[in-house]
Amino acid sequence: MLAFTIRRILVSIPILILSTFLVFLLVAWGADPLSDFKSKNPPPSAAEVAAREHALGLDHGLLVQYWNWIRNLVVHGDFGPSVQGAAFDINAELGRRTWVTFRLVICSIIIALILAVVVGVVTAVKQYSVTDYVATLIGFFFLSLPVFWFAILLKIWATDLNNSLGTNIKTLGPPGGQWGGIGNWAGYLVLPTITLALSSYATWARFQRASMLDVLNSDYMRLARAKGLSSRRVMVKHGLRTALIPMTTQVTLDVAAIMGGTVITEQIFQWQGLGTMFLNGIRTQDTNAVLAWLLISATLVIVFNLIADLLYAVLDPRIRLS
């Protein structure tokens, strides 16, 4: 198991390097990072522009720029300067914003996974019943909702409740990035977590239902019932454990989609997380900020895929990681 983990980590390194290089080229070719600086009134002199290019490392070719960035990252852990100025320290912003976004991602995955497994198993066991039809209808409803539209609806509904009933549902991120105690930041998590969790739940519940139906109709399940095992033990120990294997794959594949959903969700609820940093980086052509977001997101996806590979052996001992 340890050798497998090390091997997967080593294989992931070239993938991270290639992905950052491609994004670096796309952002570098997209526009001039100094366009805002050059459009100041009065316009800066040629010497000031040259000094700014030198400070940001833009006075070299693209390959040299990327080499300098990857070298500073590996050796010093430095993501480089920002075109937004010294007031925006990418390393410091990453340290603050990463935990903000990870709260949202982890909470939404946990809630969506619990709902999906419970609903998927229940609807599979009660196939073609009223419960199955109602759960299917609800699942398709959330599946058809765009994330940005659902987030806006939740925000409007919460605002109306606050105005009409005097509730205190937090519709915006913490002012100044000050989260306070656990109870306080849990309140800020409610609406964004519901937005991402229900969108993911709808897909996972249908996937879990189909997987559970395949397991229920298998020979070894009929054999377990014939041996006189209780229905609860047959479902949990023999059925659910096997049905979770495809579900594990689906969840890890959807981590990238959830990270993409945080970009829109954070913008709507005005969270100061990685998603907001990514959009600001694109808007200002801040290559280093965009690369930092990509590296964090890609690392998260790789970690979840590694966890999935390890869980396969736990859920099904027949699988050997060799």
Side-chain angles (χ1 to χ4, degrees):
M1 187 75 73
L2 179 60
F4 170 80
T5 304
I6 295 175
R7 186 164 63 248
R8 284 299 305 270
I9 293 175
L10 293 177
V11 170
S12 302
I13 293 176
I15 298 176
L16 284 174
I17 294 176
L18 178 61
S19 60
T20 55
F21 180 68
L22 292 176
V23 172
F24 175 82
L25 292 180
L26 290 174
V27 177
W29 287 339
D32 182 9
L34 296 181
S35 58
D36 291 340
F37 180 76
K38 294 176 181 178
S39 61
K40 288 183 177 181
N41 190 17
S45 63
E48 291 175 330
V49 172
R52 184 65 174 163
E53 289 179 344
H54 180 72
L56 297 174
L58 301 176
D59 53 345
H60 301 291
L62 290 180
L63 292 179
V64 176
Q65 290 180 39
Y66 179 76
W67 168 250
N68 291 336
W69 179 82
I70 199 73
R71 183 188 59 188
N72 289 333
L73 177 62
V74 173
V75 177
H76 305 291
D78 184 11
F79 283 91
S82 170
V83 299
Q84 302 175 54
F88 189 86
D89 187 334
I90 295 180
N91 286 25
E93 290 295 324
L94 274 180
R96 182 176 63 86
R97 293 170 181 262
T98 298
W99 175 231
V100 172
T101 298
F102 277 15
R103 291 176 188 172
L104 178 58
V105 171
I106 293 172
C107 289
S108 61
I109 288 177
I110 292 174
I111 294 175
L113 191 57
I114 293 174
L115 287 175
V117 170
V118 172
V119 174
V121 171
V122 171
T123 53
V125 173
K126 298 183 178 182
Q127 186 182 18
Y128 302 137
S129 66
V130 176
T131 302
D132 185 19
Y133 288 130
V134 171
T136 300
L137 178 63
I138 294 174
F140 281 133
F141 172 75
F142 287 118
L143 190 61
S144 63
L145 289 179
V147 174
F148 72 91
W149 190 68
F150 185 39
I152 293 174
L153 282 182
L154 285 179
K155 188 175 180 179
I156 293 174
W157 291 338
T159 302
D160 290 342
L161 284 177
N162 289 340
N163 294 333
S164 59
L165 301 180
T167 57
N168 188 27
I169 302 175
K170 295 178 172 60
T171 59
L172 300 177
Q178 302 299 320
W179 288 81
I182 294 179
N184 197 38
W185 64 255
Y188 291 112
L189 273 171
V190 172
L191 294 182
T193 301
I194 291 176
T195 301
L196 291 179
L198 292 183
S199 301
S200 301
Y201 144 78
T203 303
W204 296 352
R206 299 301 300 169
F207 199 86
Q208 180 65 29
R209 178 183 181 275
S211 179
M212 195 67 187
L213 285 175
D214 289 339
V215 171
L216 290 176
N217 296 323
S218 60
D219 293 336
Y220 73 89
M221 289 289 287
R222 285 192 289 268
L223 177 60
R225 296 190 192 98
K227 290 167 62 177
L229 297 178
S230 64
S231 298
R232 181 183 182 88
R233 186 174 182 184
V234 170
M235 289 295 175
V236 176
K237 185 174 181 180
H238 297 278
L240 179 59
R241 187 170 181 176
T242 305
L244 283 176
I245 296 176
M247 183 67 163
T248 303
T249 304
Q250 185 65 32
V251 171
T252 55
L253 291 176
D254 285 347
V255 170
I258 294 175
M259 283 297 296
T262 60
V263 175
I264 300 175
T265 304
E266 288 182 2
Q267 189 72 14
I268 292 174
F269 292 105
Q270 297 184 21
W271 272 38
Q272 298 302 313
L274 292 175
T276 308
M277 175 179 171
F278 173 68
L279 289 179
N280 290 337
I282 293 179
R283 183 166 54 250
T284 60
Q285 299 298 321
D286 195 342
T287 306
N288 291 337
V290 174
L291 286 175
W293 178 89
L294 171 72
L295 193 62
I296 297 295
S297 302
T299 302
L300 183 65
V301 172
I302 289 173
V303 168
F304 269 86
N305 277 273
L306 178 60
I307 293 174
D309 289 335
L310 298 178
L311 284 176
Y312 291 152
V314 176
L315 295 172
D316 190 349
R318 296 172 299 176
I319 298 177
R320 292 292 178 261
L321 305 177
S322 59

